[in-house]
Structure formats: C-alpha cells, structure tokens
Amino acid sequence: MKTTFSIIKADVGGWPGHAKVHPDLEEIARKKLTEAKRDKTILDFYVAHCGDDLELIMTHTNGVDAKEIHSLSWDAFCEATERARDLGLYGAGQDLLADAFSGNVRGMGPGVAEMEFTERKAEPVIAFMMDKTEPGAFNLPVFKIFADPFNTAGLIIDPSLHDGFVFEVWDILEHKHVFMKTPEEMYDLLALIGAKSRFVIKRVFPKKTSKLKSDEPVAVISTEKLYQIAGEYVGKDDPVGIVRAQSGLPALGEVLEPFSIGHLVSGWMRGSHNGPLMPVSVEDAQCTRFDGPPRVVALGFQVKNGLLTQPVDLFDDPAFDLTRKRAQEITEYMRRHGPFEPHRLPMADMEYTTLPRVLKKLGNRFKKVK
Ligand code: F6R
Ligand code: MG
Ligand code: MG
C-alpha cells in the first residue's frame, strides 16, 4: 500500500484583516474531515493555520491530484467561507477563484502539495506552512536540506546520502520543468533557483543508487502563483511543503536547520515587500506587524499505515529564539526603508499588484526628455 500525504490550503477569510484564521473556520474543516475519515475517503487528517491560511493536512490512498480529495477540500473551504461571510471576516472566500469545482483545485485558488510514497518502517514527515510569502521562499531551505554539506552533515557522514539528490525545478513563467542532480550540477541549480520569483523547487527525489525508491519524492512544494491564475493580485500564494526525514534522508534537525537563518523572502505587506522569514509556533502564527513579518510553521508527524500521530509543533522551541530575535531586528531595519527597494519589491514583481494603477494616473504628465 502506498500512502498519499496531501496539504491543501486556502485563505477563505481573515480575522481581523489578513492576520489569522478564525477558530470557527478550523472547526468547520475538522468536522468535514472527521466525516470524510468516517466514510473512509481519507485515512487521517490534521487541521491547522498559518496566518490567514486554513491548512488541511490529509493522508489517504487515492494518489496525488485525486478528485475525491480535491473536491472534499473544496467543499470544506466553501463551508468555511459561508461561516466567514456570516461572521463578516475579511476577504471571505478570497482564494476560491472559481464558482464551481471542476475536478481538481489546481488553478482554482487553493495551494496544493502532495506526495505518494511507500512507507518505511518508521516514516517521519514534516508539514511546512508559510504565510505572507511565495513558493520561491522554499528554494533556499530545500536546497540547503538536500544539497548543502554545511547544513546537512549526513551528506558527508552517511554513505546513504553521500550520492546526493535530484531536484525538479519549475519555471513558473514558461510552465516548463527540469531535473538537476546534486552535487554534480549544484552550481547550475543555484544559478536557476537563486532567481526565486521565477524558478522554484517543486520536488526532490532520491537518486537511483539510493535504497529509497527513486520515483517517490522526498520533498514537495506547492507552486501555485495566484497572480498567474487570477491575472491580478488577489492575495499572496502563501506556500506549503512536505519533507520526509531520517534513514537515508536528512535528519529531522537537518531539515529544520536552514530555517534558523530567517532568510529574506518576498510577499510581505500587499505582496509587495521583502522581509525575513520568521519560524514560529502555530500559536504565534498570526501576522500582525506590517501584516507580517512572513512566517513559517512546521508540524512533525510519524506516519504509520497512513495514520498520523499528533504533531509536534517543531518551531515551538527556545532553540529558535535567536532566529526570531534576529528576524525582528531585520524587520526593524527593513521597515526603515519604507517604500524604497529592496524592502519594496523591484518593478517587475510589482506588475500584478495595485501599483501600476497608481502609476497609470501619472502617465500623460510624462514628457519626452530633449
Ligand atoms: C494579504 C496581505 C496583506 C494585504 C493588505 C491589504 O495576504 O499580504 O498585506 O495585501 O492587508 O489588503 P486589502 O487590499 O485587502 O485591504
Ligand atoms: Mg487574507
Ligand atoms: Mg495568507
């Protein structure tokens, strides 16, 4: 039996503004998924939030892109939207871009990360959820987890990791993908994924020489870009990711280690600013200061026959206090730049925000320089 691990998420209403998910919406999702577990559509689930994003974490045997699972998620988001409307929550139904479900939530607004794999004897899986940023925010940490020997000691020490991994990278503008091997193609890979608003890591696979199955991913990231779906800015495409760990893969601590940087990501305030990614507990996953700063939450599960243990809230640890303090200092420094780049995103990335409308007004006042 193969297990599918899915995270499907959407912002269906903020409390207040774009700060957080109201507990009623999580409760509605829990009720819906409890029914689905009872009628065996799914094996298990966990409902969480990161900022204003409602996160459905599910296990099942239907494989990725399964209609049953996507329609279940769509229905859960629609029911939560109704409650969001009743409560007058902000931007109710914001990420549900289509009027009716058409078989797959991809391209309809919600973000999706799913992987199907053969469970090992013990299977640690980490669900990462981010708010106020974009899929490219995962590039740096996922690269470091699977390819940086200064991060992942196992790449040097453990013979089963020593051969490296295969990265699937998407060009989200051209809708193309490429597979690249590390360590041998590490410099080419970095040449691409350093441009994180265009090239994003979609999946990581073990190599053929690994004991693990080389066609089953060990990491997957959601790559929906809402502005490409909707044609204009309708909220940020706050990404989610799934990473498997241990026994021939990076250890849990090697998976978490890159998040100790508080690296700079795009998507803060109006999807238009750069800021540090702050690792926080679920309880602290509410975006307040300047609608942020961008946050990441990590829930760690053991998966057995598709069933989930209770998660451990992995960044709820004083070991990340220094990172949080540094992120706050960087926040303070970057905020002093106000509307100036590089706090504000470069013009090309502002194309789908509301800024072009402001500039349009000035259009005919510009005269040719003689
Ligand atoms: C939402 C986000 C927020 C909003 C901002 C303006 O994910 O990043 O910073 O962009 O609060 O929101 P509106 O335009 O809805 O008033
Ligand atoms: Mg919102
Ligand atoms: Mg959000």
Side-chain angles (χ1 to χ4, degrees), residues 30-155:
R30 259 178 223 118
K31 220 171 125 224
K32 189 82 189 159
L33 297 190
T34 303
E35 284 163 21
K37 185 174 170 180
R38 203 176 301 132
D39 72 24
K40 300 197 167 31
T41 310
I42 55 174
L43 292 171
D44 214 347
F45 71 89
Y46 191 79
V47 172
H49 73 270
C50 183
D52 59 3
D53 294 299
L54 179 57
E55 317 274 357
L56 313 181
I57 300 169
M58 297 167 284
T59 50
H60 53 96
T61 53
N62 300 295
V64 302
D65 279 332
K67 192 174 171 189
E68 308 85 309
I69 304 303
H70 284 228
S71 92
L72 168 67
S73 309
W74 184 260
D75 292 347
F77 292 139
C78 288
E79 285 178 28
T81 297
E82 274 174 40
R83 181 71 185 135
R85 291 210 170 101
D86 290 347
L87 288 169
L89 298 183
Y90 191 72
Q94 166 186 300
D95 281 357
L96 306 185
L97 302 178
D99 294 331
F101 180 71
S102 64
N104 191 308
V105 293
R106 227 173 265 287
M108 296 174 75
V112 186
E114 297 185 285
M115 59 158 81
E116 189 183 32
F117 54 87
T118 311
E119 281 182 23
R120 296 168 292 164
K121 213 160 61 192
E123 189 66 58
V125 179
I126 302 126
F128 286 103
M129 294 152 274
M130 297 183 182
D131 191 33
K132 308 296 184 258
T133 186
E134 59 177 8
F138 273 105
N139 282 8
L140 184 148
V142 172
F143 172 82
K144 285 180 81 70
I145 293 166
F146 291 98
D148 179 4
F150 281 74
N151 179 84
T152 297
L155 292 168

Side-chain angles (χ1 to χ4, degrees), residues 262-339:
H263 66 291
L264 292 175
V265 299
S266 308
W268 187 9
M269 182 49 91
R270 298 175 185 275
S272 308
H273 292 78
N274 287 309
L277 185 70
M278 186 159 78
V280 292
S281 63
V282 174
E283 197 178 313
D284 289 336
Q286 53 182 36
C287 293
T288 51
R289 182 167 182 192
F290 199 54
D291 285 0
R295 315 249 159 161
V296 56
V297 158
L299 293 179
F301 299 89
Q302 286 292 140
V303 183
K304 179 81 179 172
N305 298 327
L307 298 181
L308 299 170
T309 58
Q310 275 301 303
V312 174
D313 191 346
L314 294 165
F315 292 136
D316 186 12
D317 183 334
F320 286 93
D321 282 351
L322 193 59
T323 308
R324 289 188 272 266
K325 187 155 188 299
R326 193 188 306 123
Q328 288 164 40
E329 277 160 10
I330 297 168
T331 290
E332 193 55 38
Y333 172 73
M334 297 203 70
R335 281 302 304 125
R336 299 282 74 79
H337 293 76

Side-chain angles (χ1 to χ4, degrees), residues 239-256:
V240 289
I242 306 166
V243 180
R244 296 164 64 199
Q246 308 286 157
S247 308
L249 293 175
L252 176 76
E254 291 166 338
V255 172
L256 300 177

Side-chain angles (χ1 to χ4, degrees), residues 231-243:
E232 65 175 62
Y233 183 73
V234 287
K236 210 51 199 175
D237 28 311
D238 313 308
V240 289
I242 306 166
V243 180

